[in-house]
Amino acid sequence: MDALITILPGDGIGPEVARSGKEILQLIANKYNHNFKFEEKLIGGSAIDNCSSPLPQETIDTCKDSNAVVLGAVGGPKWDNPNAKLRPEQGLLGIRGSLGVFANIRPVIIYPSLAKASPLKEEKLIDVDLIVIRELTGGIYFGEKNRTENKASDLCVYHDFEVERIIKIAADLASKRKNKLCSVDKANVLETSRFWRNITDNIIAKDYPHIDIEHILVDAAAMYLINRPSDFDVIVTENMFGDILTDEVSMLSGSLGMLPSASLGDNKVGLYEPIHGSAPDIAGKGIANPCGMISSIAMLLRYSLNLQEEAIDVENAIYNVIENGTRSADIATADDKVSSTEQITKLIIDEIN
Ligand code: IPM
Ligand code: MN
């Protein structure tokens, strides 16, 4: 198949893991006789430095013309001035908004041999298999912001259609798994959460009567995810709660560096990024964990290109390399040998070959 894939390396370790992702895509193209073309565009801090905008129009246009977009990470101390008008994160939110990718799918993948890398007791990790669906283009991230000398505000807004479409995605996924859905909100305090809960109940009652729906307040959910993570299957939640809870649940898999994400909308272009950030403390050292990125590439093959066999090939390769004992610094324990980004990528490539 022919596909145009735009790569947005971004900042910090973004370019390092994006390079690994591209190598895997090129390899899959060769092995399965596909024709993948690549474009590379600026986003985030590097775009601010080069074109005075965290999201140049050219980046948006190229992404919209692609079949899929791969993003490394954005941000770093260089652009962290709290009074700066331009921030790298505006580029990330801007591309999510421009592509309309409202459904952010973040699966927690457990690799048995990484149980030791998790701060949780190993027995808590038995049977953990959960996916968080995070609403990605609404809520407090996108509401009106205001600031005067002695007051600041961020507005949290949800429209009915925004809640409906994300709940449908989550309910469809739950229908393919265990018919079990957990919606996380803060309905004891927030009006947007009560609105979200009402809409959710109506949709489930009307269109998904086979689904067992549970509503959990976000503070309790944060506790249960540590306490009894294996009770969860599909979790759906609003933008900011999803951001926070997915960093938390990444600890189940051992490291933030392991988790992938796919962001999908109604139109064809999907956005794929590891859930980790730009990790400025290790940028340039070649030691970043490429697994979150390479798992995101598997999601790209599956969701944007409908290449199921290729996706499984990539997933199995990561699994085997990890289970054979290969470790980047973030998942290494006491006497593990630590491998570089390049070495791990090479081992995954050998495994696919
Ligand atoms: C993420 C990140 C972003 C977010 C930041 C960099 C804006 O933390 O993708 O989870 O909050 O969505
Ligand atoms: Mn985050």
Side-chain angles (χ1 to χ4, degrees):
M1 85 169 327
D2 289 350
L4 175 63
I5 297 161
T6 297
I7 313 248
L8 309 176
D11 312 315
I13 60 168
E16 299 167 41
V17 294
R19 190 174 315 125
S20 300
K22 185 175 174 186
E23 281 175 30
I24 300 297
L25 282 166
Q26 269 161 336
L27 172 69
I28 289 293
N30 291 341
K31 178 170 172 183
Y32 292 89
N33 269 314
H34 299 304
N35 178 21
F36 295 165
K37 287 210 164 55
F38 298 94
E39 286 273 4
E40 204 163 300
K41 294 290 163 191
L42 292 167
I43 194 165
S46 53
I48 294 177
D49 291 351
N50 280 283
C51 7
S52 312
S53 158
L55 185 61
Q57 189 59 44
E58 192 190 324
T59 298
I60 301 178
D61 294 342
T62 309
C63 288
K64 283 188 171 167
D65 285 340
S66 313
N67 297 91
V69 178
V70 175
L71 191 142
V74 299
K78 182 174 179 194
W79 308 279
D80 244 349
N81 174 357
N83 295 315
K85 277 238 149 53
L86 299 177
R87 292 193 55 94
E89 293 78 6
Q90 293 161 348
L92 179 55
L93 301 190
I95 196 66
R96 288 171 178 170
S98 306
L99 296 177
V101 287
F102 61 86
N104 181 223
I105 304 173
R106 297 187 163 187
V108 176
I109 306 166
I110 302 284
Y111 300 84
S113 75
L114 280 188
K116 278 197 272 321
S118 171
L120 267 78
K121 294 197 186 90
E122 286 192 50
E123 70 254 28
K124 294 273 186 204
L125 300 172
I126 298 168
D127 292 334
V128 168
D129 176 14
L130 66 92
I131 300 189
V132 179
I133 312 263
R134 168 187 176 193
E135 200 291 324
L136 200 63
T137 53
I140 199 165
Y141 272 57
F142 286 84
E144 195 182 314
K145 296 176 193 306
N146 273 303
R147 169 115 172 237
T148 63
E149 213 179 317
N150 42 22
K151 189 174 147 204
S153 63
D154 296 276
L155 196 62
C156 182
V157 181
Y158 269 109
H159 292 95
D160 49 4
F161 73 91
E162 292 176 301
V163 182
E164 281 158 16
R165 64 190 181 182
I166 193 77
I167 296 299
K168 282 183 184 150
I169 298 251
D172 286 339
L173 181 65
S175 302
K176 290 193 203 127
R177 289 169 57 100
K178 297 188 183 150
N179 291 319
K180 207 171 126 181
L181 180 61
C182 169
S183 173
V184 173
D185 63 35
K186 187 69 185 173
N188 53 347
V189 176
L190 301 178
E191 204 53 52
T192 41
S193 285
R194 291 189 275 270
F195 182 70
W196 175 287
R197 213 179 255 219
N198 282 146
I199 292 175
T200 302
D201 281 336
N202 289 341
I203 293 177
I204 299 295
K206 183 166 162 280
D207 298 329
Y208 302 89
H210 55 282
I211 285 188
D212 173 14
I213 174 86
E214 181 181 23
H215 301 278
I216 302 189
L217 298 173
V218 63
D219 47 352
M223 174 175 61
Y224 298 149
L225 282 166
I226 297 297
N227 202 13
R228 47 178 183 88
S230 60
D231 284 356
F232 292 89
D233 194 61
V234 180
I235 297 174
V236 63
T237 190
E238 63 98 64
N239 203 343
M240 188 160 72
F241 298 158
D243 177 46
I244 298 168
L245 291 180
T246 50
D247 268 32
E248 185 189 12
V249 293
S250 75
M251 286 295 109
L252 303 170
S253 75
S255 166
L256 190 57
M258 295 303 297
L259 290 202
S261 85
S263 304
L264 309 171
D266 287 330
N267 43 19
K268 65 176 182 94
V269 194
L271 173 66
Y272 299 85
E273 40 173 329
I275 84 159
H276 65 69
S278 60
D281 52 324
I282 59 160
K285 296 188 179 159
I287 59 167
N289 184 347
C291 292
M293 170 57 86
I294 298 174
S295 295
S296 304
I297 296 299
M299 295 185 90
L300 181 159
L301 295 167
R302 173 171 296 121
Y303 292 117
S304 279
L305 307 183
N306 199 19
L307 299 173
Q308 308 301 332
E309 189 187 341
E310 289 83 340
I312 292 169
D313 197 356
V314 173
E315 284 162 353
N316 286 345
I318 303 169
Y319 191 90
N320 292 340
V321 165
I322 294 291
E323 291 307 291
N324 286 339
T326 304
R327 298 287 181 266
S328 47
D330 56 325
I331 49 174
T333 40
D335 24 59
D336 286 330
K337 176 177 162 282
V338 174
S339 299
S340 68
T341 312
E342 216 179 301
Q343 287 165 331
I344 298 172
T345 308
K346 175 76 174 42
L347 287 169
I348 294 174
I349 287 174
D350 291 346
E351 194 66 35
I352 295 173
N353 277 326

